[in-house]
Amino acid sequence: KFLATTNPADLATADAILICVPTPLTESRDPDLSYVTSTVQAIAKILRPGQLIVLESTTYPGTTTEFVRPILEETGLRAGTDFHLAFSPERVDPGNAKWNVRNTPKVVGGLTPQCTELAKTLLLSLMDDASLVRTVESPDVAEMAKLLENTYRAVNIALVNELAQLCHEMGIDVWSVIDAAATKPFGFQAFYPGIGPGGHCIPVDPFYLAWKAREYDFQTRFIELAADINDQMAAYVISRMQDVLNERSISLRGANILCLGAAFKSGVSDVRNSRAIHVMELLRERGAVV
């Protein structure tokens, strides 16, 4: 019963439509909702009473109700009355063989209790267990929950990246430090240093939250500082490489540097926001032969 199509008109036959399109950043690090816009506009052309629309793309709180809903209601149909609207964030860990679509818990919040219940029913049909779908009181809560998940990771990655730099200055093996701390069975989760997080979530989502916070005259200082620390890790790695080469009386300019792997993490082929590629770019800017 699976049909792959590039014709938006085919959506008219669907009772439920799940939207999962990219939500990148603009050059000024503002949310780019152009993919969501074009998709919702295409759905509006075929929208009919009784359909369920579920947004899954990671975005700022309010997107479902303040952005998606008005576009769909331009048809004259009313959300929560004529059609149903909900948000349920995509949860995928690329390259992870243990956690997949069927066993990873889902969160869903609908515009109305009925919207929530219908979206929950749909999601339960995909899951291995009925306990894996958690409902919340609104799309805003579900949207914020997704941003919290990824911002939590971004902040902790920044913490361990900064600690790695300090440990280097102090002559302490940061890997041994993390392994020792990880023996604590409560209150600690191990994160590991690197060239900064890549992919379509961790480098992007904190900026969606920071952008929305400015609407309320609120500055997410802690979150933006973490993003800055992670951003500068690629340059830090280059400086460390220069130090290693200098110890061998080799200049980075003209040096042959072999880079293995261009994806944003091991075991995947996705190069979106790959820090590995950024490192290669920095090496070439400094005259290295990559």
Side-chain angles (χ1 to χ4, degrees):
K1 296 182 180 180
F2 178 77
L3 169 68
T5 180
T6 58
N7 184 6
D10 291 330
L11 294 174
T13 63
D15 294 320
I17 300 173
L18 287 80
I19 304 169
C20 192
V21 294
T23 47
L25 295 171
T26 64
E27 291 185 2
S28 59
R29 289 185 170 177
D30 290 334
D32 177 3
L33 295 183
S34 58
Y35 296 100
V36 176
T37 301
S38 60
T39 302
V40 176
Q41 288 174 339
I43 292 172
K45 293 178 180 178
I46 57 85
L47 187 65
R48 57 178 169 77
Q51 280 184 311
L52 168 65
I53 312 299
V54 181
L55 178 63
E56 290 205 337
S57 302
T58 303
T59 184
Y60 58 82
T63 302
T64 303
T65 56
E66 301 169 8
F67 188 83
V68 174
R69 179 183 181 179
I71 296 176
L72 295 176
E73 289 188 339
E74 289 177 1
T75 61
L77 299 175
R78 300 271 74 84
T81 302
D82 301 314
F83 67 94
H84 311 285
L85 183 62
F87 180 83
S88 180
E90 179 193 35
R91 279 178 170 169
V92 176
D93 186 13
N96 191 325
K98 178 181 179 181
W99 297 106
N100 54 57
V101 173
R102 297 192 66 86
N103 65 7
T104 302
K106 290 282 284 183
V107 170
V108 61
L111 189 65
T112 66
Q114 186 183 18
C115 292
T116 301
E117 195 59 34
L118 287 171
K120 177 184 177 181
T121 302
L122 171 66
L123 294 171
L124 282 174
S125 69
L126 310 174
M127 313 301 289
D128 287 336
D129 189 277
S131 66
L132 294 176
V133 179
R134 167 68 180 271
T135 61
V136 294
E137 55 268 38
S138 68
D140 289 20
V141 172
E143 289 162 338
M144 183 65 93
K146 175 62 174 182
L147 291 185
L148 173 58
E149 294 169 23
N150 288 344
T151 302
Y152 167 84
R153 292 173 63 189
V155 166
N156 280 281
I157 291 170
L159 170 63
V160 78
N161 277 336
E162 190 165 64
L163 184 70
Q165 297 178 53
L166 175 60
C167 284
H168 176 68
E169 296 298 325
M170 299 177 67
I172 300 173
D173 185 346
V174 68
W175 307 98
S176 294
V177 171
I178 297 169
D179 289 343
T183 61
K184 184 180 181 181
F186 53 88
F188 182 84
Q189 180 181 357
F191 286 81
Y192 298 93
I195 57 178
H200 55 92
C201 289
I202 308 303
V204 174
D205 296 352
F207 290 104
Y208 268 70
L209 187 54
W211 179 88
K212 186 63 176 180
R214 291 196 292 271
E215 183 179 314
Y216 297 87
D217 197 26
F218 188 94
Q219 183 182 0
T220 52
R221 293 175 295 171
F222 191 69
I223 295 170
E224 292 178 55
L225 176 59
D228 289 340
I229 292 172
N230 287 330
D231 279 348
Q232 62 88 35
M233 283 306 294
Y236 174 72
V237 168
I238 299 297
S239 70
R240 287 286 303 277
M241 294 171 68
Q242 286 179 308
D243 291 342
V244 172
L245 289 171
N246 286 338
E247 291 172 2
R248 291 158 175 76
S249 300
I250 301 174
S251 170
L252 180 58
R253 180 171 295 278
N256 293 309
I257 308 293
L258 175 63
C259 299
L260 302 176
F264 78 85
K265 63 183 288 188
S266 62
V268 304
S269 59
D270 194 341
V271 297
R272 283 178 292 177
N273 298 312
S274 172
R275 302 301 287 173
I277 292 178
H278 185 49
V279 167
M280 296 178 204
E281 292 170 344
L282 292 176
L283 287 170
R284 285 195 169 126
E285 287 176 8
R286 286 158 177 74
V289 181
V290 178

